[in-house]
Amino acid sequence: MLTFILRRIALGFLVLTLATALLYILVQLAPGDPASAMLGPRASPKIKAEFREKLGLDRPMPVQIVNYLIAVGQGDLGTDLKTKRPVVETIAAHAPHTIALVGAALLLAAGLGIPLGAAAAVRRNGWFDRALGVASVSLISIPPVVIAIYGMLFFSAHLGWLPAIGAGEGFWDNLRHLLLPAFAVGIGWVGYIARLVRASMIEVLGANYIRNARSFGLPSRMVTYRYALRAAIAPTIAVLGVGVGYMLGTAAFAEIVFARPGIGKMMYDAVTLRNYPLTLGAVLCATALMVAATTVADILNAALDPRFKDGRE
Amino acid sequence: MGKPLLEVVNLGVKYGPLQAVNYVSFQLEPGRILGIVGESGSGKSTLLWALTRLLPEAAALNSGEVWFDGEDLLRLAPDRLRALRGSRISYISQDPMTSLAPGLTIGQQMMDVLHREPWPAREKWARAVDSLDWVSLPDPEARMHMYPHELSGGQRQRVSIAMALMLKPDLVLADEPTTALDPTLEVEILALLRRLQRETGAAVIFVTHHLGVVHSLCDEVLVMKDGDIREAGTVAQVFAKPQDIYTQCLLRCDPARIINPTRRLPTMADAMAAPALPMTGPAGRIDTKSPAVLTLEGLSVTYHRRGLIPTVLGGKTESIHAVRQVSFDIKRGETVALIGESGSGKTTVARAILGLAQPEAGSIRLNGHELRGQNRNGWTAARAKVAMMFQDPGGSLSPRMTIARQVVEPLIIHGRATEATRGRALELLAMAGLESRYADRYPHELSGGQARRAGVARALALSPELIVADEPTAGLDVSVQGEVINLLNGLQEKLRIAILLITHNMAVVRHTADRAVVLLKGQVVETGPTAAIFAGAKEPYTRALIAAAQHNIPEPESL
C-alpha cells in the first residue's frame, strides 16, 4: 500500500511537470506579446528587446521551459506585475479561500449525495427514491450562477442572514461567508452524486457476495454500509476527484459574484489586466489542486478496494 | 423414517408470469445429502434460495410452507429468520470469484459471520483461523489478512465452505459450488465437502447440473425440469432404474457417463431410440499424406509485465514463461485435444496460433508456411484459414447484431463483403444445425446450446482449414453437450476440417479427439493417441483429470 501511495504521488508530480511545461508553451504561443502588454504599445523596440532579454524570452523554447520548471520548482513564479511582489505571495494569500470553497462544496456534495443515493438504492422505486430522482435532475439543471445570485438576493438582501460579499475575518465570520458560495458550487453536485451512488449501489446490491452476506445472517445495516456501499462508492470517488477541476471553474464564477478573494477572482482580475505571471501562476495553482485531488481519489479507492491498486501495477 | 429436518410443502415461486418452481414438496432427514439435479432454467437454484427467502426482487413466493425445526420459514418474522441464517442454515454459493466481498479481508468477512457470538474478538479470530485450517487451506493465519482476489478459485471456495460450516449448521444449502472450478479442483472440493459433512453430521442440499456429482456424493436425488420435480428417490434407485422418461434420457446422453468412445453420442431427442454407435476409426478421415495443417515446433511465449514508472526508471521487468517448447501437429480431418488446467498455457498456445501473442522462439507453420515474423497482411491471410470458437458462447456474440448478420461478419472483415449475403448466412446456420427462424434473433434470445451453434456457424464462414475450439461444451447443460460434440464431429467428417480442441473436460476428449497433448505449467508432459492416454496415462495429473471426468471422488482418508 505504501509503495502504491508513493508511486501515485510520484506520478502526480510527473503529470504536474508535464502540465506546467505545456502551460508555458501555450502562454508563449498565445497571440499578444508580453513585452508589448507590459510595457505598453508605445515602448521602443530597444526597450522591448531588453525586457525580453531580462525575462529570458529571447532564448530557445526548450531552454525557456527548463528554466521555468526549475524556477517553479524553487517556488519562483515571477513577479506580480500589479503589486510588484512575488506571485507566490499573491497566490498564497488567495489560495486558502478557494481551497476552503471547493473543499466545502465537496463536503456538501459527498456528505449529502452519498447517503441520499444509498438510501434511494435501498428503497428502490419507493416514494423517497422517486422524489430524490426528480430533485436530483432539478438541482443538476440549475446553473450555479443562478443559484449564487438568487441565494444572495434571498439570504443576504431579503433576509439579511448571511453576508453577501467578501471572505470575512476570523473563523466564524469566514464560515458565514463560505456558506452561500459553497452552496452555489456544491448543490448541483449533490444531485449528480446521489444519482451516481444510487446506480452503482443498485448494481452492487445484486452481486453474489451481497446475497452471501445476507445468507450468513448479517444485519441489513451491516450489509448495506460495510459490504455494499464500500464497493459502490469507488466510481463516485473517482468522479469527485475529477470533479474538483470542474468545481474550480464554478468556484471562479462564485468568487466573482460574491467578490470573494480567491484564485478564481484573482485570475479574472489578472487576465483583464494582462498580468501574465499572475495568470500563469493561478492556472498552475489550479492544476496542482486538480492533480492533488485525483491522486487523493486514487489512494482512497485503493484503500477501499485493493483490487484497484493491484490492477494498476 | 425419523422426523424430517426440513419439510417443503407445495412451494411455488414466480418470475413475472413464469412459474419457475411449480408447487414442489419434499422432505430431508437430518444428516442426509440430497442432490437436486436439472438443467439451467429448471428452477433448482430458485428453489434453494427460496427456502430462506433470499430470492431476488423479481421473484415472488406464491405458495407453500417450509418447515424447519417446527417453524415455517416462509412466515417467520425477518429477525428470527435472520438469526437462523449462518448459524443453523447456511449457504455455499456458486461462483467463488464473486461470492466474497472484494474490499474486505478474509479475516474481516469471517469475523463478520461470527458477529452474533458473545466471544471476544481474539477468540473469534482464533476460531476463524481454526476453520480455515479445518478446510485444509494452507497457512490460514496469513490468509486471514488477504483479500479475496489474492486467492485462487479453489482457495476461495474453501474459504466460502469454512464460512458456511464455521457455526456447525444443521442444514447446508450448496448452489453448484463446484461448477466454476477445474475438474481436478472440483474433485478436491467435493472430497472436502464429504469429509466435513461426515464430521459435522449436517444435512446438505446440493444443487448441480452434474449427474456424476450426484452419483458420487449424494444419498437422495430430486430431478427437476421446468419447475417440476420429475423424479425423486435414493441415488441407487434413480440411477439404476429411472422411472421418468426425462431422467432416463438425461442419464443416457451425459457424455461423461458414456465410457466407450463414440463420435455420435445419443441426444435428448433420440436417447431412447438409438444406442451410442461404436467409435469409427480415423481411417479415411485423416489425411496422412499431405503436410499437416498446423505444425508447432518448440513454441515458447513469455509475458512481460512492466509499469510506466519502472520503465522510465529502468527498473527490472517481471517475466512469466507462459509456454515453453511446445511442439505438436494437426493433420487434415484430425482432432487434437490440448488438455491442461487453468493457467497451464492452453489459451496462450491458441493466442500464438492466431497471432495474438508474440512467440519468443519456435515456429508456427500453417500448411507448411511459417507464420512467425509475418506482417499484418500475412496474418490476416492466415486468420482466414484458422477460425476461433470462443469459450463463452453467449458472451462471444455481439448483443447488438442479429445472428444472421454476425455469422457472415468474418466475410466482411476479410474483404469479401459481396459474399456476405443472407443466403450464405442461412446456409451457415443450417450447417451448424440452427433453423432459419433463429436468423433474425439477437443472442440474448438464444439458449446456451443455440448460441454455441451460432458460434460454430460463424467459425465456418470463411471455410477454414483449422478450427480452434476453446472449451466448446463449457457452461452447457449435459443434455446439449452431446449435441455440440456430434455437430463438431459431423462437420469434421463432411468438411475434413482439422480441429484443435482446448479443454479440460476429458469426457469431450474421449468422444472427439484422435490425439491428446497434455500441458502442465506451460510444458507438454504427455502426448499420444486418445485411447492410449485413457488406457494408461503416465502423468498423475492426466490420471487425476480422467478420474475427475468419471467422478471417482477419492475417499477422505486418502487425502
Side-chain angles (χ1 to χ4, degrees):
Chain A
M1 188 68 198
L2 191 67
T3 16
F4 175 79
I5 294 176
L6 291 178
R7 286 173 60 155
R8 288 303 304 167
I9 293 175
L11 197 64
F13 272 106
L14 188 71
V15 170
L16 197 57
T17 312
L18 289 176
T20 310
L22 197 67
L23 265 175
Y24 187 80
I25 297 170
L26 280 178
V27 169
Q28 299 303 322
L29 287 181
D33 172 19
S36 322
M38 288 172 201
L39 301 174
R42 269 172 289 177
S44 72
K46 188 166 170 290
I47 297 175
K48 277 191 194 169
E50 276 170 11
F51 180 81
R52 283 211 190 88
E53 202 184 318
K54 193 177 137 211
L55 289 185
L57 295 175
D58 54 338
R59 307 175 68 183
M61 192 54 121
V63 178
Q64 286 187 42
I65 292 173
V66 171
N67 284 343
Y68 183 69
L69 284 175
I70 291 170
V72 170
Q74 290 165 344
D76 175 14
L77 294 173
T79 310
D80 181 346
L81 298 180
K82 190 175 148 214
T83 60
K84 308 291 178 210
R85 289 170 54 201
V87 166
V88 176
E89 274 182 28
T90 317
I91 287 177
H94 288 81
H97 294 298
T98 303
I99 294 173
L101 174 56
V102 172
L106 210 59
L107 205 69
L108 181 74
L112 272 179
I114 293 172
L116 284 175
V122 173
R123 298 162 181 75
R124 178 146 64 120
N125 295 334
W127 65 267
F128 177 78
D129 183 25
R130 285 169 209 273
L132 186 72
V134 174
S136 302
V137 177
S138 322
L139 286 178
I140 295 167
S141 29
I142 306 173
V145 180
V146 174
I147 294 177
I149 292 170
Y150 277 91
M152 189 154 75
L153 282 177
F154 188 69
F155 289 104
S156 308
H158 183 67
L159 291 174
W161 288 356
L162 291 168
I165 55 165
E169 297 284 329
F171 181 76
W172 290 111
D173 198 30
N174 273 340
L175 206 62
R176 270 164 52 81
H177 280 83
L178 190 58
L179 281 178
L180 273 180
F183 187 75
V185 174
I187 196 72
W189 281 83
V190 172
Y192 183 51
I193 294 302
R195 286 186 76 80
L196 205 65
V197 169
R198 175 187 179 271
S200 47
M201 188 80 174
I202 284 173
E203 198 185 315
V204 171
L205 283 174
N208 217 338
Y209 59 84
I210 296 299
R211 184 175 65 176
N212 246 32
R214 288 205 182 108
S215 81
F216 286 121
L218 303 194
S220 62
R221 283 180 66 88
M222 194 164 174
V223 175
T224 309
Y225 293 103
R226 187 169 156 87
Y227 283 76
L229 190 57
R230 199 186 173 91
I233 215 170
T236 308
I237 291 177
V239 165
L240 279 175
V242 179
V244 164
Y246 187 83
M247 283 189 197
L248 281 169
T250 327
F253 282 112
E255 283 169 0
I256 294 162
V257 171
F258 291 100
R260 201 181 149 77
I263 295 281
K265 174 81 165 62
M266 181 189 88
M267 199 181 334
Y268 173 76
D269 295 340
V271 169
T272 19
L273 294 173
R274 292 212 169 184
N275 193 341
Y276 276 94
L278 191 58
T279 312
L280 197 54
V283 174
L284 257 183
C285 177
T287 313
L289 283 178
M290 165 100 191
V291 170
T294 45
T295 305
V296 169
D298 276 1
I299 292 171
L300 263 179
N301 261 344
L304 283 173
D305 185 346
R307 284 178 306 174
F308 186 85
K309 169 184 70 179
D310 296 345
R312 285 246 160 165
E313 288 179 352
Chain B
M1 251 175 92
K3 192 169 163 283
L5 175 72
L6 181 80
E7 190 174 2
V8 176
V9 185
N10 227 10
L11 181 70
V13 183
K14 260 187 140 145
Y15 273 101
L18 177 80
Q19 189 74 41
V21 175
N22 206 0
Y23 311 105
V24 304
S25 305
F26 62 91
Q27 294 186 353
L28 180 65
E29 283 170 52
R32 301 282 279 177
I33 308 183
L34 169 70
I36 301 183
V37 68
E39 48 198 287
S40 41
S42 62
K44 56 187 192 304
S45 291
T46 308
L47 166 61
L48 192 76
W49 292 97
L51 297 178
T52 66
R53 307 202 318 241
L54 281 167
L55 290 168
E57 266 175 57
L61 278 157
N62 65 343
S63 149
E65 293 153 33
V66 174
W67 293 97
F68 175 83
D69 199 18
E71 287 177 302
D72 181 2
L73 299 184
L74 300 190
R75 282 162 193 84
L76 205 57
D79 277 353
R80 304 216 10 232
L81 180 60
R82 198 166 61 70
L84 292 179
R85 289 186 195 146
S87 59
R88 299 200 55 201
I89 304 178
S90 66
Y91 281 90
I92 303 167
S93 76
Q94 180 166 11
D95 184 358
M97 293 307 185
T98 60
S99 59
L100 296 169
L104 298 170
T105 61
I106 303 299
Q108 285 171 322
Q109 298 189 48
M110 295 199 70
M111 303 270 283
D112 282 351
V113 175
L114 301 176
H115 75 281
R116 289 170 290 221
E117 308 306 324
W119 311 318
R122 250 177 130 172
E123 189 179 342
K124 288 185 185 178
W125 181 269
R127 282 186 186 238
V129 173
D130 279 351
S131 332
L132 289 182
D133 192 42
W134 189 39
V135 297
S136 315
L137 196 68
D139 203 0
E141 188 80 45
R143 309 277 171 203
M144 290 285 280
H145 296 282
M146 289 189 178
Y147 289 93
H149 74 281
E150 296 172 296
L151 270 57
S152 71
Q155 289 172 341
R156 287 191 214 190
Q157 200 57 304
R158 282 178 195 270
V159 172
S160 299
I161 292 171
M163 284 167 82
L165 292 173
M166 200 157 39
L167 290 168
K168 306 270 189 312
D170 303 310
L171 177 60
V172 177
L173 306 172
D175 185 13
E176 306 238 18
T178 58
T179 304
L181 301 175
D182 277 5
T184 44
L185 267 179
E186 174 173 39
V187 169
E188 276 176 35
I189 295 291
L190 288 174
L192 170 72
L193 274 175
R194 190 150 78 179
R195 188 193 93 202
L196 300 181
Q197 193 273 333
R198 282 185 191 168
E199 286 175 21
T200 61
V204 178
I205 300 183
F206 195 100
V207 164
T208 181
H209 65 271
H210 228 142
L211 295 164
V213 172
V214 174
H215 191 211
S216 56
L217 184 78
C218 302
D219 306 312
E220 285 154 64
V221 60
L222 293 180
V223 180
M224 285 190 75
K225 163 86 175 151
D226 299 332
D228 289 313
I229 291 179
R230 295 292 285 264
E231 181 133 12
T234 66
V235 165
Q237 259 172 22
V238 170
F239 276 71
K241 271 205 175 83
Q243 299 299 311
D244 186 77
I245 181 90
Y246 173 73
T247 320
Q248 290 168 1
C249 292
L250 207 59
L251 285 172
R252 281 201 185 198
C253 73
D254 178 1
R257 295 177 54 82
I258 298 169
I259 304 298
N260 294 322
T262 170
R263 286 182 63 87
R264 172 71 182 73
L265 290 159
T267 61
M268 290 301 278
D270 60 14
M272 299 318 289
L277 297 170
M279 188 72 170
T280 49
R285 173 164 52 86
I286 301 176
D287 182 348
T288 46
K289 293 186 194 79
S290 331
V293 173
L294 179 79
T295 312
L296 299 185
E297 258 175 38
L299 181 75
S300 297
V301 180
T302 306
Y303 288 126
H304 300 282
R305 263 170 49 145
R306 57 169 80 110
L308 175 69
I309 289 176
T311 313
V312 170
L313 302 178
K316 66 166 188 238
T317 56
E318 199 181 329
S319 304
I320 299 158
H321 296 283
V323 165
R324 269 175 297 172
Q325 293 292 326
V326 169
S327 309
F328 63 87
D329 63 355
I330 311 177
K331 298 186 180 67
R332 217 163 113 78
E334 186 183 34
T335 298
V336 172
L338 189 59
I339 300 163
E341 60 197 327
S342 311
S344 63
K346 308 186 296 272
T347 307
T348 303
V349 172
R351 290 173 60 86
I353 294 169
L354 293 160
L356 301 173
Q358 199 63 46
E360 195 178 34
S363 97
I364 306 167
R365 289 198 300 277
L366 193 65
N367 292 324
H369 297 291
E370 178 61 51
L371 290 182
R372 254 192 90 199
Q374 288 280 357
N375 57 15
R376 246 182 114 85
N377 291 338
W379 273 110
T380 307
R383 284 188 199 128
K385 293 185 186 132
V386 182
M388 179 78 192
M389 265 170 61
F390 295 96
Q391 179 165 5
D392 177 5
S396 57
L397 295 170
S398 163
R400 285 148 212 249
M401 272 191 226
T402 62
I403 299 303
R405 173 82 181 69
Q406 52 191 312
V407 296
V408 291
E409 183 83 1
L411 289 166
I412 298 168
I413 292 169
H414 285 272
R416 290 157 60 184
T418 49
E419 295 169 50
T421 58
R422 186 176 170 80
R424 178 71 182 145
L426 294 180
E427 204 178 296
L428 288 167
L429 289 175
M431 282 163 85
L434 268 185
E435 295 162 43
S436 57
R437 64 194 160 100
Y438 294 107
D440 297 313
R441 297 206 186 168
Y442 287 88
H444 71 268
E445 297 171 291
L446 301 184
S447 71
Q450 289 163 345
R452 177 43 87 208
R453 284 175 187 275
V456 172
R458 183 171 59 178
L460 293 173
L462 294 164
S463 315
E465 295 175 35
L466 173 68
I467 290 183
V468 180
D470 191 0
E471 294 285 4
T473 58
L476 294 184
D477 283 319
V478 168
S479 57
V480 283
Q481 285 187 6
E483 290 179 25
V484 171
I485 294 173
N486 290 346
L487 174 67
L488 286 176
N489 285 341
L491 286 169
Q492 179 172 57
E493 276 146 32
K494 203 156 36 174
L495 307 169
R496 307 208 47 208
I497 305 172
I499 297 178
L500 176 62
L501 175 77
I502 297 174
T503 189
H504 46 219
N505 185 342
M506 292 305 282
V508 178
V509 173
R510 176 178 8 230
H511 301 301
T512 56
D514 300 294
R515 284 186 296 138
V517 177
V518 183
L519 270 186
L520 194 61
K521 297 193 178 114
Q523 283 175 304
V524 176
V525 292
E526 193 154 17
T527 172
T530 308
I533 298 239
F534 271 91
K538 288 185 282 295
E539 281 294 318
Y541 171 67
T542 319
R543 285 205 296 270
L545 266 184
I546 295 170
Q550 283 151 11
H551 286 285
N552 293 334
I553 300 174
E555 283 297 306
E557 291 74 35
S558 68
L559 275 185

